[in-house]
Amino acid sequence: MSFAPQPVGRRERNKQQKLDRITAAAGELFAEYGVDEVTTQQIADKADVGTGTVFLYVKTKGELLLLVQNTHYVEALERGRAAAENIPDVLDAVMTIIRPIVGCNRTQIDNGRTYLREMVFGNPEEPHHRDALAVVEQTEEAIAAVLRRDERVGVAEAARRAHIVSAIMFLAMAATANIARSVDEIVADIREQVSALLPQ
């Protein structure tokens, strides 16, 4: 016997609609002004909710940035992963996964750097932080899958190398020295380092 899914109640729909409005408002304001220049009050006003309502969903502006950016990072990862399936060269395929993520991070440089800081130093018990860490894990899994195309690289070795590739990518995106560098320049730097990890 199968049961039809229960319809979502009005209260739950209202909560989701408010969260969607808050997320959209924060995304627009962060993109235009940068996370550091936007107040919670501005977000609440744009979302047409009270400031207290914003804090029912997130405790800090950093958590709100995670909420906004996680979606973008997941989309970037999916684009890269899909494109990498058709690229036979291992290094090229790994970089095809990485490039959209770097591009996503550099859309608004201050926001990208703040997102990485929140991801590293935020509370791992907080759900949006947990989601951000899940994106990192999914990225490493996608990279490991490509690395395993080389039959000399076993499962455990591919996972270790993917973790190193992830660290290289995040350091390249977060480094103060790279603030003025383009996506192409950062990707080229990452590629040079990743190539040293691959079996010759």
Side-chain angles (χ1 to χ4, degrees):
M1 179 191 300
S2 65
F3 295 96
Q6 294 299 311
V8 178
R10 183 182 311 171
R11 187 166 186 257
E12 288 303 312
R13 278 197 313 272
N14 286 342
K15 282 173 65 176
Q16 187 59 52
Q17 288 169 355
K18 282 181 185 174
L19 178 59
D20 292 345
R21 288 201 320 264
I22 291 166
T23 304
E28 288 176 33
L29 290 167
F30 290 164
E32 186 171 351
Y33 302 107
V35 68
D36 294 333
E37 301 302 319
V38 175
T39 66
T40 307
Q41 185 63 56
Q42 288 171 306
I43 294 166
D45 289 347
K46 188 167 186 68
D48 195 26
V49 298
T51 307
T53 301
V54 174
F55 289 115
L56 289 174
Y57 295 96
V58 294
K59 294 180 182 70
T60 66
K61 234 178 9 176
E63 287 181 19
L64 191 50
L65 179 66
L66 288 171
L67 175 64
V68 168
Q69 293 290 85
N70 285 342
T71 303
H72 298 310
Y73 277 71
V74 167
E75 290 167 356
L77 172 59
E78 287 311 311
R79 281 195 314 274
R81 188 191 324 230
E85 288 178 8
N86 302 316
I87 297 177
D89 181 79
V90 170
L91 178 58
D92 288 344
V94 167
M95 295 312 301
T96 299
I97 292 169
I98 289 173
R99 184 178 186 80
I101 296 170
V102 174
C104 177
N105 179 263
R106 307 299 285 182
T107 299
Q108 215 289 355
I109 292 170
D110 289 339
N111 290 352
R113 294 178 77 229
T114 302
Y115 176 78
L116 296 176
R117 186 175 62 236
E118 287 292 327
M119 186 187 293
V120 173
F121 297 111
N123 177 2
E125 300 303 313
E126 190 279 317
H128 308 304
H129 181 271
R130 211 170 31 246
D131 291 345
L133 294 177
V135 175
V136 174
E137 187 176 321
Q138 292 163 18
T139 303
E140 290 183 12
E141 288 168 359
I143 292 169
V146 169
L147 296 176
R148 287 195 307 273
R149 293 179 187 174
D150 185 328
E151 58 192 33
R152 296 170 293 175
V153 179
V155 173
E157 184 62 25
R160 274 193 296 276
R161 290 182 189 202
H163 190 64
I164 295 168
V165 170
S166 179
I168 291 167
M169 178 178 63
F170 281 96
L171 283 173
M173 292 188 299
T176 303
N178 288 343
I179 286 177
R181 298 182 81 193
S182 70
V183 170
D184 287 341
E185 290 170 322
I186 292 172
V187 168
D189 181 48
I190 294 169
R191 183 185 180 96
E192 186 176 334
Q193 294 179 67
V194 170
S195 67
L197 285 175
L198 301 183
Q200 301 303 315

